[in-house]
Amino acid sequence: MMYGGPGVKTGKDFPIPDTMKAWVLGNPGELKLTQKPVPVPKRAEVLVRIDAVAICATDLEIIDHGSPALIQGGKPFNKNFTPGHEYMGTVVALGPGVDEYKIGQRVTVEIHAGCGQCKRCREGMYTSCHNYGLNYGDVDKGHRANGFTTDGGFCEYQVNNVNTLVAIPDSMSDEEATLVVTAGTAMYGLTELGGLVAGESVVVTGPGPIGLLGVAVATALGAQPVILTGTRDNRLNIGRELGADHVINVRSENVVEAVKRLNGGRGVDYVVECSGAANAVNEAVYMVNRGGKVCLAAFPHAETPVDVAHIVRNNIYLYGIRGEGKSATHRAEAFMSQKRFDATKIHTHTFALDDLPTAIRYAKDRVDDAIKVVVKARGVAAHRVAAE
Ligand SMILES: [Zn+2]
Ligand SMILES: [Zn+2]
């Protein structure tokens, strides 16, 4: 059978097989390499040949614990579900009526294609779509969040709504392009805080990928000073390279006092909380000045105590953000293609798609100081020793 469907356009330079390699989630922690049919794009969708996919801490959470993935209304285990959401690639087929992108064009993707019809989608808050996860059977609302509610990127091809595509220049490497969505999350956080951060003081807590690119984006937006806090000196040093004016190792000093000392004795205007640590929310609200704003971008594992009285007395604003709404990914990509910061400083390792379990081990155990680990279906030799 030939690949395709009604109204689907393909190109002779990009022959598409009927089946592809795909990792699927079995029981918790169990990934199996299988074959799946190559999906066919519908209206307003394209088929992306996945050229690189980065591993995110949220992937590790989904693979081991299920949440926040939601497949057919429940946990994603043993449902032939393919995780992975931070991918980029080449457009190789166009769904009916698609003329916004061309076959052969390189793109990176954002995760959430909202339903486009609910209140939040109409406001550009498609990561908070009210029809989240409703994309199966009789209740299909057209929502997709690849790697969360629909099949993701640990495979060779995936369909994406045109709304989730971000065109990238040839000067951007595959690995760098996988980081656009991470920078987009940082950009969305700063957008929700008001966006006008030039000359404002910002603390970023937690030097994970979002925190490090949060430093880069805040710096590119003109914030000053930008202060990064964390526990690992090697990551704090990368934060300096990405623009942090000051770094604080929270193991060696009182972080709230240190922030105030570095900001002329005052609390800062904004905190972007990317650590998920148990005391992080309270420390964040103690670090901001009166009327300051705190963005919460990490998923803590347990319920977190919060000093509500301090928040109310001081008119402090708390914003929870999910993912990367309001086209923040496009703004992040613009900074990256303008070389306003070098996101590749957080990319540390690349493996073949066949070596995904090894790549995940590097990301999870931070082997060899791993930060962002990327897997590629082509052009990288597999390390796996063949049984001969
Ligand atoms: Zn992610
Ligand atoms: Zn919606």
Side-chain angles (χ1 to χ4, degrees):
M1 205 185 81
M2 283 278 289
Y3 175 85
V8 173
K9 291 196 190 73
T10 57
K12 63 179 175 350
D13 293 339
F14 297 93
I16 302 168
D18 289 333
T19 62
M20 63 176 180
K21 283 183 197 172
W23 288 92
V24 299
L25 184 57
N27 292 320
E30 182 191 25
L31 286 169
K32 289 180 275 197
L33 186 58
T34 64
Q35 290 279 320
K36 279 188 179 180
V38 175
V40 176
K42 294 188 268 197
R43 198 192 145 273
E45 289 179 344
V46 304
L47 182 71
V48 176
R49 184 191 72 191
I50 297 170
D51 296 329
V53 51
I55 296 169
C56 173
T58 309
D59 294 318
L60 308 178
E61 191 67 24
I62 288 168
I63 290 164
D64 286 340
H65 304 288
S67 176
L70 189 68
I71 300 297
Q72 296 174 6
K75 294 228 171 187
F77 304 115
N78 296 307
K79 289 177 175 168
N80 201 35
F81 165 64
T82 297
H85 58 272
E86 298 184 355
Y87 59 91
M88 59 72 61
T90 305
V91 173
V92 293
L94 306 175
V98 171
D99 57 8
E100 295 88 345
Y101 290 86
K102 291 188 177 68
I103 289 171
Q105 188 168 1
R106 292 172 74 238
V107 293
T108 191
V109 303
E110 49 185 298
I111 298 149
H112 299 258
C115 72
Q117 64 202 44
C118 76
K119 176 178 181 173
R120 293 292 175 240
C121 281
R122 297 283 293 159
E123 294 171 340
M125 294 174 67
Y126 41 84
T127 63
S128 309
C129 176
H130 286 177
N131 289 315
Y132 185 85
L134 297 184
N135 41 21
Y136 55 93
D138 291 344
V139 289
D140 188 353
K141 296 282 191 183
H143 175 277
R144 287 186 73 94
N146 286 358
F148 288 86
T149 67
T150 43
D151 271 352
F154 293 142
C155 59
E156 294 184 280
Y157 295 89
Q158 199 49 268
V159 288
N160 272 83
N161 191 290
V162 290
N163 291 340
T164 65
L165 302 178
V166 183
I168 53 167
D170 289 340
S171 58
M172 189 181 288
S173 69
D174 292 354
E175 288 79 356
E176 183 174 9
T178 65
L179 303 170
V180 168
V181 71
T182 308
T185 300
M187 180 70 84
Y188 184 45
L190 290 162
T191 300
E192 291 306 278
L193 293 178
L196 300 172
V197 299
E200 303 281 281
S201 44
V202 174
V203 169
V204 177
T205 54
I210 294 173
L212 287 168
L213 294 187
V215 165
V217 172
T219 302
L221 289 168
Q224 196 177 43
V226 175
I227 302 169
L228 175 65
T229 74
T231 60
R232 291 164 174 261
D233 285 328
N234 65 315
R235 291 195 176 198
L236 293 173
N237 287 336
I238 294 169
R240 275 190 201 279
E241 293 175 21
L242 286 167
D245 297 293
H246 308 284
V247 299
I248 301 167
N249 189 320
V250 302
R251 294 226 166 104
S252 53
E253 50 190 325
N254 178 305
V255 69
V256 175
E257 286 172 13
V259 163
K260 289 186 175 169
R261 176 170 48 76
L262 292 169
N263 192 47
R266 294 180 306 280
V268 293
D269 300 308
Y270 300 95
V271 173
V272 182
E273 204 304 282
C274 303
S275 75
N279 53 349
V281 178
N282 276 344
E283 285 181 351
V285 301
Y286 299 145
M287 278 177 206
V288 289
N289 52 38
R290 300 194 79 203
K293 298 180 179 180
V294 175
C295 170
L296 304 173
F299 299 117
H301 279 270
E303 282 193 29
T304 301
V306 177
D307 186 346
V308 175
H310 179 84
I311 293 170
V312 175
R313 272 199 304 269
N314 293 288
N315 202 133
I316 291 164
Y317 300 87
L318 290 187
Y319 295 77
I321 63 151
R322 172 70 193 271
E324 62 305 304
K326 294 188 180 167
S327 300
T329 304
H330 290 261
R331 296 193 292 286
E333 189 280 333
F335 273 168
M336 288 168 67
S337 59
Q338 293 163 24
K339 309 279 185 208
R340 299 285 291 275
F341 55 84
D342 181 5
T344 63
K345 288 183 187 298
I346 71 167
H347 166 242
T348 53
H349 296 79
T350 302
F351 291 94
L353 178 63
D354 286 3
D355 288 328
L356 180 65
T358 305
I360 284 175
R361 185 170 59 79
Y362 270 65
K364 185 191 274 182
D365 299 339
R366 299 171 181 175
V367 176
D368 191 19
D369 286 334
I371 303 178
K372 268 297 186 194
V373 179
V374 168
V375 297
K376 301 185 83 168
R378 273 168 303 283
V380 180
H383 292 268
R384 179 183 284 190
V385 179
E388 291 179 37

